[in-house]
Amino acid sequence: MRKVLVLEDEANIRSFVVINLKRAGYDTLEASSGEEAMEIVKRNPDIRVALLDVMLPGIDGFEVCRRIRADNAKIGIIMLTARTQEMDKVTGLMTGADDYVTKPFSPAELTARVDALYRRTGGEPLLENGVIRQDPFLLNTRNRTMEKNGQRIKLTQVEYSIIKLFMDNPGKALSRDEILESVWGRDYFGEVKIVDVNIRRLRLKVEDDPQNPTYITTVWGYGYKWGF
């Protein structure tokens, strides 16, 4: 089953999202509060994608995202927000979300975002094989994991896709648009700044000193380079 969690406290919006996801072939699980969403996640470890509303009574969407990420790096997370402030978007991504959709959104946009994230979370068979070793890193493309000096680094599936792109192109400057197209897909509706936020999050995980990165370096005015 292609399970998607929909956390939204406004019943009419939740119903709108659920109807359109069901039309696209997804099995939806509904929650109206953060607490309810966490219980559903515990009972359904095969959920592939979670849509989390930011503004909720009690536990808000940011906190639900943090708690899910603490236990599960593989589930895809999309934040649903009516807010347009830049800091809210960044906050959602830095707490572990893979993407965000600002209300109001079209059914086509939302379904496209879920489809793309579902594919990246392993919803389709992997064709990759083997490992990529670039000391001190080891990327296992069979189980989509990464180690640094033998220690596992917990990556979301979007972060894994970015690292895989970098390690496939060591020393090559990749533009933000190249990274966006490769990881999020050509039909991505969002903004290119999502690349920068994910790079910032990755640096916190892979760099010895995130403030002075040596592995993921910035190519000013262009993009980023895996520094090997």
Side-chain angles (χ1 to χ4, degrees):
M1 299 292 285
R2 305 202 304 166
K3 286 188 178 181
V4 176
L5 169 66
V6 180
L7 168 57
E8 168 62 64
D9 65 325
E10 294 188 35
N12 59 333
I13 297 177
R14 188 171 67 250
S15 176
F16 168 77
V17 171
V18 167
I19 288 171
N20 284 282
L21 288 177
K22 285 184 175 179
R23 286 174 179 169
Y26 290 99
D27 178 25
T28 58
L29 302 171
E30 302 179 47
S32 58
S33 69
E35 293 84 353
E36 184 181 5
M38 293 307 303
E39 287 300 316
I40 291 174
V41 170
K42 288 179 183 178
R43 295 196 305 267
N44 296 271
D46 55 342
I47 291 173
R48 291 286 190 183
V49 176
L51 305 180
L52 308 179
D53 185 34
V54 171
M55 295 295 292
L56 296 167
I59 301 175
D60 67 12
F62 295 141
E63 182 60 25
V64 174
C65 181
R66 289 189 190 96
R67 295 188 186 187
I68 290 176
R69 274 288 174 254
D71 298 321
N72 190 330
K74 292 187 176 182
I75 189 172
I77 298 177
I78 299 175
M79 306 302 294
L80 303 177
T81 176
R83 300 177 176 183
T84 57
Q85 290 93 334
E86 190 65 26
M87 187 52 63
D88 290 324
K89 298 175 182 178
V90 172
T91 299
L93 294 170
M94 291 304 289
T95 55
D98 299 294
D99 201 357
Y100 57 83
V101 178
T102 303
K103 302 173 187 174
F105 46 79
S106 71
E109 176 186 4
L110 183 65
T111 301
R113 298 283 189 97
V114 173
D115 286 345
L117 191 52
Y118 182 85
R119 290 193 297 270
R120 292 197 300 272
T121 57
E124 295 179 353
L126 294 176
L127 302 178
E128 302 166 348
N129 206 345
V131 298
I132 302 174
R133 180 182 295 277
Q134 291 171 8
D135 291 335
F137 299 101
L138 177 70
L139 193 73
N140 187 318
T141 61
R142 289 189 297 268
N143 57 19
R144 301 169 74 90
T145 59
M146 185 182 195
E147 296 179 0
K148 178 182 180 183
N149 293 318
Q151 298 297 311
R152 178 72 61 85
I153 297 175
K154 290 183 64 174
L155 299 177
T156 69
Q157 294 306 299
V158 165
E159 291 167 349
Y160 167 84
S161 297
I162 295 173
I163 287 292
K164 174 69 162 53
L165 178 64
F166 279 140
M167 295 183 76
D168 281 339
N169 297 276
K172 178 183 177 182
L174 298 171
S175 72
R176 289 174 174 82
D177 287 331
E178 284 180 278
I179 298 170
L180 188 71
E181 181 174 320
S182 177
V183 175
W184 281 267
R186 292 184 179 182
D187 57 352
Y188 180 69
F189 286 84
E191 304 168 66
V192 73
K193 64 173 65 70
I194 196 171
V195 173
D196 299 318
V197 179
N198 274 276
I199 293 296
R200 189 189 313 173
R201 202 168 68 189
L202 266 174
R203 282 173 169 164
L204 293 173
K205 296 184 177 184
V206 306
E207 297 285 353
D208 298 323
D209 180 2
Q211 300 303 315
N212 296 285
T214 58
Y215 300 118
I216 305 175
T217 55
T218 300
V219 181
W220 294 106
Y222 186 72
Y224 300 94
K225 181 176 68 173
W226 184 242
F228 281 79

